[in-house]
C-alpha cells in the first residue's frame, strides 16, 4: 500500500551529534532512515536517552543536523533553510510537547496562545478569521468558548494537553510531531487524548510522528513503528509486524516489558533482558535487512541469520 505513495517525510542517514567537550561528542542520533506517508501515524519508541526527542527536534529544525537528509513534502530541509522553506516548515510542521505547562505561556489566555501561530505567520487576513479558526479548533478538541478566556493554570493536565493539540492543529499542519505528549497524563486520560488525536487525524488528514516509550499506547495509535535504541532505529515495521514477529532482541525486550491485562497471563510474563554489550551487537556494523517491504531490521548478516532462525 505505502510504497506506491510518496512519503510526506523522508529521513535518510540522519545524524545529530552534540559536542560536549573538546574530546567528547554524544551521538544522540547516529544515522537513521525512515519514511512517513501522508495520513499515517509513525510511532517512534525506545527507552530514555535513545534519541527520540532529538530526532523530532532535528526534523523540525530546532537543531542543525550534523549529517543526512530530511525531505519534507518534497523540500530538502536538512541544510540552511531558505526564507520560503523556513516559513513553509513553521506552518506545516508542528510539535506537541510532553509538558504543556512548560510551553504554554502562563500569562496568556488560552485563546491568545492558540492564535499566536496564526498571527506570527500571518495566516489569516482579519482578526475575525483568526477568532473563527481559534473557536473552531477549540470546539474540535472539546473545549468551550468560555474556557478560551482562561489561563493555562486553570486547566487540568488533560485539558492543557488539549490546548497543546489545538495550538498545533490550528495551523492546519501536514505533520505533527507529538513528543511524549500523553506520558505525563493518567492512563484513563491518555486514552482520551489519543482517541481525540485519532479522530482529528481522520477528519483533517494530518500525519503524526508519535514519540513514546510506552509501546501499549503506540500500538493503539500507530500504523507503523520504529524501534529506537542508542541513536539507531534497530527495527521498523507495521504495528502488526512489530507485535507478531519481532526480530531484534531489543524489540523483544521492549515487548516483553508490557504488562498483560489478564492477571493469569501476567503472572507468567517473563521480561526479556537485552544487553547490547553482552550480545556483542554493534549497531554501526549493521545494515538494513528486509523481511518484507515494510519490515526492516538493523543487523549484520550473521545476526540476521541467527535472529530469524
Ligand atoms: N542539547 C543536547 N546537548 C547535549 N546532549 C544532548 C542534547 N539533547 C540530547 N542529548 C543527549 O542525547 C541523547 C538522546 O537524548 P534524547 O532526549 O533524544 O532521548 P529520548 O529518547 O528522547 O529520551 P527520553 O525518553 O528520556 O525523552 C541523550 O544521551 C542526551 O543526554
Ligand atoms: Mg525525549
Amino acid at each position: 500500500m505505502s510504497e506506491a505513495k510518496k512519503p510526506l517525510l523522508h529521513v535518510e542517514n540522519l545524524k545529530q551529534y552534540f559536542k560536549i567537550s573538546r574530546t567528547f561528542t554524544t551521538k544522540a542520533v547516529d544515522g537513521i532512515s525512515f519514511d512517513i506517508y501522508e495520513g499515517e501515524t509513525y510511532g517512534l519508541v525506545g527507552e530514555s536517552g535513545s534519541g527520540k526527542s532529538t530526532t523530532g527536534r532535528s526534523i523540525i529544525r530546532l537543531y542543525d543536523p550534523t549529517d543526512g537528509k530530511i525531505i519534507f513534502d518534497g523540500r530538502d530541509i536538512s541544510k540552511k533553510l531558505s526564507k520560503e522553506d523556513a516559513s513553509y516548515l513553521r506552518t506545516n510542521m508542528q510539535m506537541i510537547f510532553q509538558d504543556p505547562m512548560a510551553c504554554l505561556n502562563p500569562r496568556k489566555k488560552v485563546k491568545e496562545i492558540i492564535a499566536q501561530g496564526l498571527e506570527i505567520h500571518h495566516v489569516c487576513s482579519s482578526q475575525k478569521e483568526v477568532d473563527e479558526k481559534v473557536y473552531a479548533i477549540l470546539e474540535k478538541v472539546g473545549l468551550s468558548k468560555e474556557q478560551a478566556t482562561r489561563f493555562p493554570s486553570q486547566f487540568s493536565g488533560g485539558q492543557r494537553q488539549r490546548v497543546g493539540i489545538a495550538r498545533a492543529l490550528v495551523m492546519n499542519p501536514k505533520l505533527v510531531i507529538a513528543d511524549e505528549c500523553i506520558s505525563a497524563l493518567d492512563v484513563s486520560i491518555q486514552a482520551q487524548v489519543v482517541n481525540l488525536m485519532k479522530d482529528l487525524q481522520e477528519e483533517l488528514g494530518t500525519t503524526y510522528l508519535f514519540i513514546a516509550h510506552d509501546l501499549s499506547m503506540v500500538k493503539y495509535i500507530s500504523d507503523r513503528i520504529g524501534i529506537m535504541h542508542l541513536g539507531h532505529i534497530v527495527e521498523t515495521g507495521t504495528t502488526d509486524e512489530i507485535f507478531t514477529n519481532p526480530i531484534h532482541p531489543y524489540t523483544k525486550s521492549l515487548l516483553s516489558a508490557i504488562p498483560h491485562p489478564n492477571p493469569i497471563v501476567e503472572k507468567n510474563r517473563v521480561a526479556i533482558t537485552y544487553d547490547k554489550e553482552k550480545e556483542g551487537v554493534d549497531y554501526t556494523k549493521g545494515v538494513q535487512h528486509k523481511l518484507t517491504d515494510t519490515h526492516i531490521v538493523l543487523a549484520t548478516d550473521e545476526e540476521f541469520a541467527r535472529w530469524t532462525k
Side-chain angles (χ1 to χ4, degrees), residues 18 20 26 28 46-55 63 180 213:
F18 298 108
I20 305 296
T26 300
E47 67 192 40
S48 187
S50 52
K52 306 177 301 289
S53 295
T54 305
T55 301
Y63 303 133
E180 307 265 8
H213 35 291

Side-chain angles (χ1 to χ4, degrees), residues 135-201:
Y135 288 126
I137 198 73
L138 271 169
E139 197 185 327
K140 279 196 174 56
V141 301
L143 295 173
S144 68
K145 259 190 171 177
E146 290 68 47
Q147 288 172 315
T149 52
R150 297 190 194 156
F151 295 92
S153 58
Q154 296 169 292
F155 287 90
S156 70
Q159 286 173 328
R160 274 203 288 269
Q161 204 46 284
R162 285 169 195 267
V163 175
I165 293 169
R167 188 180 67 152
L169 290 182
V170 77
M171 301 298 287
N172 197 20
K174 289 186 192 280
L175 179 68
V176 167
I177 300 175
D179 189 359
E180 307 265 8
C181 71
I182 54 166
S183 307
L185 305 173
D186 289 347
V187 176
S188 60
I189 312 290
Q190 283 189 358
Q192 275 180 21
V193 173
V194 166
N195 279 330
L196 170 68
M197 287 181 68
K198 278 177 83 160
D199 290 347
L200 290 169
Q201 178 174 49

Side-chain angles (χ1 to χ4, degrees), residues 256-273:
S256 77
I258 305 174
H260 201 280
N262 180 336
I264 297 162
V265 183
E266 171 63 14
K267 221 175 84 190
N268 297 318
R269 177 170 65 89
V270 182
I272 302 169
T273 53

